[in-house]
């Protein structure tokens, strides 16, 4: 306790200051402890609770991992604002009995200091959350952002309030207090309203994170109010009242403001204040709108998240998204991180190595991938090459892909070939068209003619662009096969669509790559009025991944600290269900026995189909859970079903889920299996 002198002194002062007329005011204590002396950070998520609830659990796991108190080992306990106040009130009432003498306060501090140092608070909304830290807890906010699967951006929370309870003067006062607390050099901070009118026309390329995500936190300037004041009126008043601190972009395309003010030294380049809107989730009937104002300090620029489940090296349309894989990995590692110098992580059904690639952001890991499909190791190699290209090389790929797209667009719109077509052939180049036809043949042979090994061997000798084109056409044959067969789509239009869906993220990657390479630091770079975080550094090193083309049944015993996988479901194949049932019966013991003494087993499984297709019992999460528990019981292993102790159990309860509303609901099972009893 002697090492915590400052902490004891401040807590004692906070308790004393919160006692008014022999009554303890928990709201005053909370404001002083967390807001005035502590820190509150706001986190905006890429997807909201309509898609998944895993982002909240991931946030808590990352805060635990990247928070610390000097000279003290922190073991954070999370509660809601209401839970924290209620618990503190009960402790005060029980301990003091209206005797608020100095001696009693000292005894209280000595008794409950450790509890209060470990107490952190989370306030969730539909698509965002605020974390409140006490005065002595430090958080590596950049690492939380860069390692996350679902955090879009984060920074200092300034003002979060129910729209029906907002007073303009309170809002203005909070912004002014923020500038007083974080003293700045004499530059103007951009104040940006995330308005539907200013952004929705220009951000349609962010397709993965708009619906049930960023679109839902936009403000409709023509419709929203702070009580009787419209947002438009609010902005006019703010611009007048904050002219010494902020600059307000003109209505219209936000990107034009970024370009226009690029070289203006009077404007902050690495931060901006954003105003967004969100909804409550504490109750299923709670449709309250909240306005959230935060100073954005970091934005997540994980390059793989630009593509999510659509990496250039690809062979299956049920590939798990990188955002989801990253979140599941972070939660799974929370029980293991810092407990061993080097962690062994295995995905026994690695496919395109999504889990393993996400694990590259952690140091001191050994990564093992297994898969029977020989294309897996080819995809890993091609994705490694692709994601380490320069911005110039990305732009050359875009140029070549666009030429091919133009070629197919012309064919689709002009069935009769003529002079224009001949000119187009010259523009695209005969060699490129020959290459295109080769890739069409390769993709067809690979998918339909059982010539997988022959095709892969031929592709190995070709340039990377040829293989990217092959994977793109493979997407056409796999994703569009039924529509092509029944004639509701034409091949050329399907190719155009898939090329465009690949070109969009490559454009963004080219811009980010340029900023990363020009940055003086390894994991951060100046973005548009924020700092971009990239967990991999300037070069993404795949060397720690060992990929083996073999059956998962041959996994080494007692080897892996974490087995994490999105196993085959038999959901989109024609294999006999009996074969898969036997497979799952046999594979569960293999996975358990392959774990180290206190290893973690994480499975992402289908729980519900939205297509009408029945999910077989052998892959049902409940059935798999019972199979794991039954096997461990026969071996006398202890099983801990991982579930964070979270506030708001009705909305953030286990199991953690992810939904693709047109296809499937996945559930995530996390077990720690302790063998050494």
């Amino acid at each position: 306790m002697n090492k915590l002198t400052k902490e004891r002194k401040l807590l004692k002062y906070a308790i004393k200051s919160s006692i008014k007329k022999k009554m303890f005011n928990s709201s005053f204590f909370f404001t002083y402890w967390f807001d005035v002396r502590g820190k509150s950070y706001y986190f905006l998520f890429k997807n909201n609770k309509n898609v998944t609830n895993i982002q909240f659990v991931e946030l808590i796991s990352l805060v635990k991992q990247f928070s610390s108190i000097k000279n003290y080992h922190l073991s954070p306990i999370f509660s809601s604002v209401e839970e924290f106040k209620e618990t503190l009130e009960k402790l005060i009432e029980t301990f003091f009995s209206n005797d608020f003498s100095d001696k009693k306060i000292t005894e209280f501090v000595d008794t409950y200091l450790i509890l209060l140092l470990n107490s952190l608070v989370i306030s969730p909304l539909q698509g965002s959350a605020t974390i409140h830290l006490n005065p002595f807890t430090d958080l590596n906010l950049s690492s939380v952002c860069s390692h996350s699967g679902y955090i879009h951006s984060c920074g200092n929370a300034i003002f979060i309030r129910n729209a029906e309870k907002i007073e303009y003067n309170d809002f203005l006062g909070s912004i002014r207090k923020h500038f007083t607390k974080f003293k700045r050099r004499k530059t103007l901070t951009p104040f940006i309203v995330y308005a539907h009118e200013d952004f929705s026309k220009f951000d349609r390329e962010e397709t993965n994170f708009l619906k049930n995500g960023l679109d839902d936190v936009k403000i409709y300037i023509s419709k929203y109010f702070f009580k009787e004041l419209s947002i438009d009126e609010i902005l006019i008043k703010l611009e007048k009242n904050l002219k010494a601190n902020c600059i307000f972009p003109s209505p219209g395309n936000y990107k034009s403001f970024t370009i226009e003010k690029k070289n203006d030294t009077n404007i902050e380049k690495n931060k901006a204040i954003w105003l967004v809107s969100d909804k409550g989730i504490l109750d299923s009937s709670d449709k309250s709108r909240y306005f959230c104002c935060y100073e954005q300090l970091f934005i997540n620029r994980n390059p793989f998240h630009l593509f999510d489940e659509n990496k250039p090296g690809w062979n299956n349309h049920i590939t798990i998204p990188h955002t989801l894989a990253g979140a599941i990995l972070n939660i799974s590692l929370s029980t293991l991180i810092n407990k061993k110098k080097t962690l062994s992580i295995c995905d026994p059904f690695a496919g395109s190595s999504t889990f393993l690639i996400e694990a590259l952001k952690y140091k001191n890991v050994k990564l093992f991938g297994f898969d029977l499909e020989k294309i897996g190791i080819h995809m890993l190699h091609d994705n490694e090459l692709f994601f380490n290209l320069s911005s110039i090389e990305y732009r050359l790929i875009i140029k070549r892909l666009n030429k091919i797209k133009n070629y197919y667009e012309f064919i689709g719109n002009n069935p009769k070939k003529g002079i224009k077509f001949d000119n187009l052939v010259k523009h695209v180049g005969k060699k490129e068209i020959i290459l295109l036809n080769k890739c069409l043949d390769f993709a067809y042979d690979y998918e339909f003619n059982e010539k997988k090994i022959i095709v892969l061997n031929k592709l190995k000798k070709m340039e990377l662009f040829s293989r990217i084109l092959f994977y793109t056409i493979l997407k056409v044959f796999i994703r569009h096969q039924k529509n092509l067969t029944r004639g509701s789509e034409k091949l050329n239009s399907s190719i155009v669509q898939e090329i465009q869906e690949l070109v969009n993220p490559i454009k963004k990657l080219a811009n980010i790559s340029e900023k990363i390479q020009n940055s003086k630091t390894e994991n951060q770079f100046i973005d548009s009025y924020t700092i971009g975080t990239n967990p991999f550094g300037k070069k993404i090193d795949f060397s720690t991944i060992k990929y083996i083309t073999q059956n998962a049944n041959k996994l080494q015993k007692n080897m892996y600290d974490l087995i994490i996988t999105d196993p085959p479901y038999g959901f989109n194949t024609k294999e006999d269900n009996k074969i898969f049932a036997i497979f799952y019966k046999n594979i569960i013991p293999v996975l358990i026995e392959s774990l180290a003494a206190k290893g973690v087993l994480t499975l992402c499984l289908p729980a519900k189909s939205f297509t009408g297709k029945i999910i077989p019992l052998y892959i049902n999460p409940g059935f798999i859970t019972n199979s794991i528990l039954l096997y461990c019981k026969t071996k006398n292993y202890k099983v801990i079903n991982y579930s964070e102790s979270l506030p708001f159990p009705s909305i953030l309860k286990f199991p953690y889920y992810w939904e693709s509303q047109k296809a499937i609901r996945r559930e995530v099972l996390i077990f720690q299996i302790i063998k050494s009893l």
Side-chain angles (χ1 to χ4, degrees):
M1 291 293 291
N2 292 334
K3 292 181 181 179
L4 300 172
T5 305
K6 288 181 181 178
E7 290 83 350
R8 293 174 70 246
K9 188 180 288 187
L10 185 62
L11 179 56
K12 187 174 180 180
Y13 177 81
I15 296 290
K16 273 187 175 182
S17 302
S18 304
I19 299 167
K20 310 290 181 185
K21 297 180 181 180
K22 293 192 175 182
M23 293 288 290
F24 179 77
N25 188 324
S26 60
S27 294
F28 182 93
F29 179 90
F30 185 93
T31 301
Y32 180 79
W33 188 246
F34 289 109
D35 296 338
V36 177
R37 297 305 300 267
K39 304 170 211 64
S40 294
Y41 292 122
Y42 179 80
F43 298 85
L44 180 63
F45 298 127
K46 294 176 179 177
N47 288 122
N48 61 33
K49 190 178 170 287
N50 291 332
V51 174
T52 180
N53 64 353
I54 204 168
Q55 66 274 58
F56 301 100
V57 191
E58 181 200 23
L59 175 58
I60 286 174
S61 298
L62 288 170
V63 170
K64 284 184 174 183
Q65 183 181 336
F66 292 108
S67 60
S68 62
I69 291 180
K70 192 175 180 181
N71 300 322
Y72 175 72
H73 178 68
L74 184 67
S75 301
I77 304 165
F78 284 85
S79 62
S80 68
V81 176
E82 292 73 20
E83 284 174 338
F84 178 86
K85 289 180 181 178
E86 186 180 340
T87 301
L88 188 57
E89 285 169 1
K90 287 180 179 177
L91 288 174
I92 294 287
E93 184 182 349
T94 305
F95 197 93
F96 287 98
S97 300
N98 292 323
D99 176 13
F100 292 106
S101 63
D102 194 71
K103 182 182 176 183
K104 262 301 195 186
I105 292 174
T106 301
E107 289 174 355
F108 180 87
V109 169
D110 289 342
T111 305
Y112 293 112
L113 174 63
I114 298 301
L115 175 64
L116 287 168
L117 286 180
N118 282 288
S119 295
L120 306 182
V121 173
I122 179 171
S123 302
L125 292 171
Q126 183 93 344
S128 62
T130 304
I131 296 286
H132 304 275
L133 306 178
N134 64 57
F136 303 100
T137 298
D138 292 318
L139 181 65
N140 187 334
L141 194 63
S142 172
S143 292
V144 171
C145 186
S146 67
H147 282 68
S148 171
Y150 278 108
I151 294 172
H152 169 272
S153 57
C154 57
N156 295 310
I158 297 175
F159 186 86
I160 291 98
R161 195 72 54 86
N162 187 315
E164 296 174 0
K165 299 177 182 178
I166 293 180
E167 298 289 346
Y168 172 75
N169 287 335
D170 291 342
F171 180 46
L172 177 63
S174 295
I175 298 171
R176 283 176 167 164
K177 282 179 185 176
H178 170 79
F179 281 111
T180 302
K181 184 174 182 179
F182 299 95
K183 292 179 182 178
R184 302 277 160 74
R185 58 194 180 91
K186 294 180 180 179
T187 52
L188 297 174
T189 302
F191 190 108
I192 303 161
V193 179
Y194 191 38
H196 162 73
E197 292 86 347
D198 297 340
F199 282 83
S200 294
K201 294 177 186 175
F202 311 105
D203 64 2
R204 295 301 93 187
E205 291 179 0
E206 298 272 0
T207 50
N208 291 337
F209 310 119
L210 290 175
K211 186 178 179 182
N212 294 318
L214 298 180
D215 267 351
D216 292 353
V217 297
K218 286 176 180 167
I219 290 173
Y220 285 72
I221 291 192
S222 60
K223 295 181 180 179
Y224 290 175
F225 285 78
F226 281 21
K227 286 191 172 179
E228 72 283 353
L229 289 174
S230 69
I231 295 297
D232 200 35
E233 291 171 313
I234 292 289
L235 289 175
I236 292 169
K237 294 183 72 160
L238 283 176
E239 192 162 1
K240 181 181 177 181
N241 295 142
L242 295 172
K243 61 184 177 182
N245 304 107
C246 296
I247 182 170
F248 291 75
S250 300
N253 188 355
Y254 161 67
K255 293 176 184 176
S256 61
F257 171 80
T258 305
I259 296 167
E260 179 188 338
K261 302 295 182 182
K262 184 178 180 181
N263 299 317
D264 192 333
T265 56
N266 293 318
I267 299 175
E268 288 277 4
K269 293 296 184 293
N270 60 356
K271 57 180 69 70
I273 292 175
W274 286 78
L275 182 63
V276 301
S277 169
D278 205 352
K279 289 184 179 178
I281 56 169
L282 299 188
D283 188 300
S284 59
S285 62
D286 183 12
K287 304 297 181 184
S288 300
R289 183 162 300 283
Y290 288 76
F291 285 101
C292 309
C293 182
Y294 75 112
E295 182 180 54
Q296 188 181 110
L297 299 176
F298 299 104
I299 191 166
N300 187 342
R301 292 303 193 196
N302 183 320
F304 296 97
H305 294 186
L306 298 173
F307 298 81
D308 227 3
E309 64 262 57
N310 201 36
K311 291 191 295 289
W314 180 101
N315 80 322
N316 199 315
H317 61 100
I318 54 169
T319 300
I320 190 168
H322 266 272
T323 44
L324 177 59
I328 296 171
L329 178 75
N330 290 327
I331 297 167
S332 301
L333 285 174
S334 64
T335 59
L336 297 168
I337 212 79
N338 298 327
K339 294 185 179 179
K340 289 184 72 172
K341 286 186 177 179
T342 301
L343 293 174
S344 294
I345 300 173
C346 170
D347 183 349
F349 309 102
S352 64
S353 303
T354 304
F355 280 116
L356 302 177
I357 291 170
E358 281 294 316
L360 290 172
K361 59 197 175 190
Y362 285 97
K363 296 178 181 178
N364 301 321
V365 291
K366 291 181 179 179
L367 306 173
F368 301 86
F370 296 84
D371 206 292
L372 273 177
E373 289 279 351
K374 293 188 182 295
I375 196 173
I377 198 164
H378 292 268
M379 290 189 292
L380 179 67
H381 175 66
D382 290 337
N383 283 323
E384 178 180 13
L385 291 175
F386 177 83
F387 282 97
N388 280 298
L389 295 175
S390 68
S391 57
I392 294 171
E393 289 169 310
Y394 289 130
R395 291 184 177 111
L396 286 172
I397 288 174
I398 291 169
K399 189 175 180 180
R400 292 179 72 178
L401 286 172
N402 277 334
K403 282 184 178 182
I404 293 169
K405 187 187 79 164
N406 293 340
Y407 174 78
Y408 274 105
E409 282 177 334
F410 183 91
I411 292 174
N413 296 325
N414 299 275
K416 292 182 180 180
K417 299 178 182 179
I419 295 173
K420 287 185 178 179
F421 178 76
D422 294 337
N423 290 336
L424 181 67
V425 169
K426 287 179 184 178
H427 176 67
V428 175
K430 288 187 177 179
K431 286 185 179 179
E432 208 79 316
I433 293 172
I434 291 168
L435 171 64
L436 176 59
N437 290 328
K438 267 189 182 180
C439 289
L440 273 165
D441 290 340
F442 287 164
Y444 191 89
D445 283 346
Y446 184 90
E447 184 62 19
F448 303 116
N449 290 340
E450 299 298 325
K451 295 181 180 179
K452 289 181 167 56
I453 303 300
I454 295 170
V455 168
L456 292 175
N457 287 334
K458 287 180 179 179
L459 284 168
K460 200 188 299 183
K461 300 171 185 177
M462 300 174 75
E463 61 170 336
L464 176 62
F465 179 80
S466 303
R467 299 196 291 276
I468 291 172
L469 193 55
F470 161 76
Y471 293 123
T472 305
I473 295 169
L474 193 61
K475 289 173 189 174
V476 171
F477 287 144
I478 294 175
R479 287 175 171 167
H480 303 258
Q481 180 187 348
K482 288 185 179 178
N483 288 339
L484 290 171
T485 302
R486 67 188 295 265
S488 58
E489 275 186 39
K490 291 184 178 179
L491 181 62
N492 47 43
S493 62
S494 301
I495 292 174
V496 167
Q497 180 184 332
E498 289 299 336
I499 288 177
Q500 189 59 56
E501 288 186 8
L502 184 60
V503 164
N504 288 341
I506 298 177
K507 283 181 183 177
K508 294 176 194 168
L509 183 59
N511 294 331
I512 289 172
S513 175
E514 189 171 17
K515 291 174 183 177
I516 290 171
Q517 295 307 319
N518 292 335
S519 175
K520 294 178 182 179
T521 56
E522 189 71 16
N523 299 102
Q524 297 180 2
F525 57 91
I526 301 296
D527 212 331
S528 299
Y529 304 108
T530 187
I531 295 175
T533 61
N534 164 36
F536 304 103
K538 296 189 177 186
K539 179 177 172 56
I540 307 176
D541 183 7
F542 281 60
S543 63
T544 53
I545 299 178
K546 185 177 181 181
Y547 200 106
I548 304 164
T549 305
Q550 74 171 43
N551 196 308
N553 283 323
K554 297 177 181 178
L555 293 180
Q556 188 175 336
K557 286 188 176 183
N558 305 313
M559 173 75 175
Y560 306 108
D561 299 293
L562 171 63
I563 293 178
I564 182 167
T565 193
D566 179 33
Y569 308 151
F571 193 66
N572 289 300
T573 63
K574 295 180 180 178
E575 280 94 336
D576 190 339
N577 274 341
K578 186 187 292 186
I579 295 172
F580 268 99
I582 295 168
F583 167 77
Y584 272 95
K585 179 188 174 186
N586 294 333
I587 199 63
I588 293 297
V590 172
L591 298 180
I592 293 170
E593 293 301 340
S594 300
L595 288 171
K598 296 181 180 179
V600 172
L601 174 61
T602 299
L603 303 171
C604 188
L605 302 171
K608 187 175 182 180
S609 168
F610 301 121
T611 64
K613 190 166 184 178
I614 296 172
I615 293 175
L617 180 64
Y618 58 74
I619 196 66
N620 176 274
F623 185 83
I624 293 293
T625 297
N626 288 333
S627 300
I628 290 169
L629 295 175
L630 183 61
Y631 179 81
C632 288
K633 186 176 181 180
T634 63
K635 303 290 288 189
N636 201 28
Y637 296 158
K638 182 180 179 182
V639 181
I640 301 172
N641 191 348
Y642 180 86
S643 177
E644 277 285 5
S645 177
L646 292 169
F648 326 115
S650 62
I651 55 171
L652 304 182
K653 64 183 179 181
F654 189 84
Y656 312 129
Y657 66 84
W658 177 91
E659 285 189 3
S660 168
Q661 294 180 346
K662 291 181 181 178
I664 200 169
R665 176 188 175 104
R666 287 175 165 122
E667 289 184 358
V668 181
L669 306 179
I670 305 175
F671 304 94
Q672 185 168 33
I673 297 174
I674 302 172
K675 298 179 181 180
S676 52
L677 297 176

